[in-house]
Amino acid sequence: MQTGNSIGGVVAQAAGLFAVTNVDDLVLLALFFAQTAGHRGGAARVVLGQYLGFAAILAVSVAAALGATLLPEPVLPYLGLLPLALGVRAAWRAWRERNGGDEEEPSGPGGPAALAVAAVTFANGGDNVGVYVPVFATSGPAGIALYAAVFLVLVAVWCLAGRLFAGRPLVARALSRWGHVLLPLVLIAVGLVILLG
């Protein structure tokens, strides 16, 4: 990798690549942040989960680019089982709460757990891995490090955008009213797309 203008070019390419491969995460993040409304520490768990999931995507992508493929290609569609299971679980909880099954209160803080967010982020990142591997394979170690640094900064930007999106009055009202239905549907749809893709 060269310096000067080529670094700026790599940063611009990395930003574009991140945006294109993570547009769908904005919807998921907004739904996750909407679930944390009024729950202390909930937003921090979403951000932590997003970073954990994206770090796993980066690790798999870098390992695959360096020739140490961790997950064989035939296994990747089965990652869809993670968001599918989380979606079915969220649908079950929403149905149970709607039908008066509130006797079992969750023991932890409200909103999604960091590991649940990480699992959805990682499972939804199969397309990211497929795009990142060839880019990383041709970038060299310094290029990979620069891509990773830009990606990790943009995860924070994505989290902020998801939080702001969920906090807009119109969006917040819609998510407050329909989020318990939308989240399971989106997770199940993501899981099916990954499984069938």
Side-chain angles (χ1 to χ4, degrees):
M1 190 178 82
Q2 299 153 352
T3 58
N5 290 336
S6 66
I7 290 177
V10 171
V11 169
Q13 287 176 336
L17 188 62
F18 181 89
V20 167
T21 56
N22 290 288
V23 168
D24 51 345
D25 277 352
L26 280 176
V27 174
L28 289 171
L29 282 167
L31 288 167
F32 284 138
F33 280 120
Q35 283 189 322
T36 67
H39 298 287
R40 189 175 188 186
R45 286 192 305 278
V46 172
V47 172
L48 176 61
Q50 185 70 8
Y51 266 102
L52 289 173
F54 198 80
I57 290 169
L58 274 179
V60 169
S61 299
V62 169
L66 298 176
T69 306
L70 295 177
L71 296 174
E73 195 164 320
V75 172
L76 291 178
Y78 293 106
L79 290 175
L81 293 173
L82 290 170
L84 185 63
L86 290 169
V88 169
R89 181 176 169 220
W92 172 253
R93 280 186 171 170
W95 178 80
R96 195 177 66 206
E97 287 173 11
R98 183 132 174 108
N99 290 317
D102 293 331
E103 38 314 309
E104 184 188 322
E105 286 295 315
S107 57
L115 290 178
V117 175
V120 170
T121 301
F122 182 74
N124 194 34
D127 59 335
N128 298 41
V129 173
V131 173
Y132 298 165
V133 168
V135 172
F136 288 175
T138 59
S139 296
I144 291 172
L146 187 54
Y147 271 97
V150 171
F151 288 173
L152 292 173
V153 168
L154 289 176
V155 168
V157 172
W158 242 235
C159 287
L160 180 62
R163 178 117 190 220
L164 290 173
F165 186 58
R168 293 280 173 237
L170 182 63
V171 175
R173 278 194 301 272
L175 290 177
S176 172
R177 182 173 178 159
W178 297 105
H180 68 286
V181 173
L182 285 175
L183 182 65
L185 289 176
V186 169
L187 290 176
I188 289 169
V190 165
L192 290 174
V193 166
I194 294 169
L195 275 170
L196 302 174

